[in-house]
Amino acid sequence: MLDWLRRDPVDEPIVEVAGRQIPVVIRRLERARRMTMRLAPDGSEVRISIPRWTRTAEALAFAQSRRDWLARQVDALPAGGPVGDGATLHFRGEPLAIVHDPLAPRRPAPEPGVLRLGGPADSLSPRLVRWLHAEARELIAADLAEYCERAAQPCPALGLSSAQRRWGSCAHDGSIRINWRLVMAPDMVRRSVVAHEVAHLVHFDHSPAFHHCLKTIFEGSVHEANRWLKAHGRTIYVPFG
């Protein structure tokens, strides 16, 4: 998305929370009627949405006034851990227990409730990342082609993102980037992000026309997808650090 308004990095506003200095990113939304705040999934920034007429100083004061709430959000961030034999990895929303079998093929093979793979134990994590990347690219490319057809738009270049601050983006040249970690989320959630960025190919803003376009091309509930990301998005940043 392109409406995260940023200052020059040198002047980027910050809020100090539990000894950490966290950048504050403010966006003005045409349809917003009140100020809302949330922490980025990985805790890297505080995001504040405000109506068009609200002053930036009011948003920063709001962040300062809610530092106790932000501290609780920071404390609730899941801790990363090793991904290896016996760990659980989510794939398309389903939890899979990782089973390392030296006699099994090196390529991960998902089964109901299990993700089995062979090869050296010390290379499990990078091989799992490569597998997820490949699966993500295939799934997201199919999503992108489908939504572009529904929106009557040419299918643009696709890039997989490792961004820690956003799920997807649409550039001025029409290229789209989607966070590869969404392959761990339910299909409906991943597809909602792709549909969102495709809708930006039609309307390069978050106007009522944009939301109508998104509702037209996306078959599910955008509200439900966003609610999942808000509740569980941080968890898919845990594996692999």
Side-chain angles (χ1 to χ4, degrees), residues 115-139:
L115 184 61
R116 194 181 307 277
L117 72 164
D122 59 2
S123 66
L124 287 184
S125 187
R127 285 189 285 122
L128 285 168
V129 170
R130 288 195 295 271
W131 176 72
L132 287 173
H133 268 263
E135 293 293 322
R137 180 171 293 279
E138 182 176 348
L139 288 166

Side-chain angles (χ1 to χ4, degrees), residues 63-82:
Q64 292 289 345
S65 71
R66 300 297 305 279
R67 283 187 297 173
D68 289 345
W69 178 85
L70 286 169
R72 291 194 295 273
Q73 297 299 305
V74 170
D75 288 341
L77 290 171

Side-chain angles (χ1 to χ4, degrees), residues 68 87 115 165 194 237:
D68 289 345
L115 184 61
R165 298 187 176 186
V194 179
Y237 279 92

Side-chain angles (χ1 to χ4, degrees), residues 172-183:
H172 285 276
D173 64 2
S175 60
I176 284 177
R177 294 176 63 82
I178 304 294
N179 195 311
W180 67 269
R181 289 178 182 269
L182 286 169
V183 75

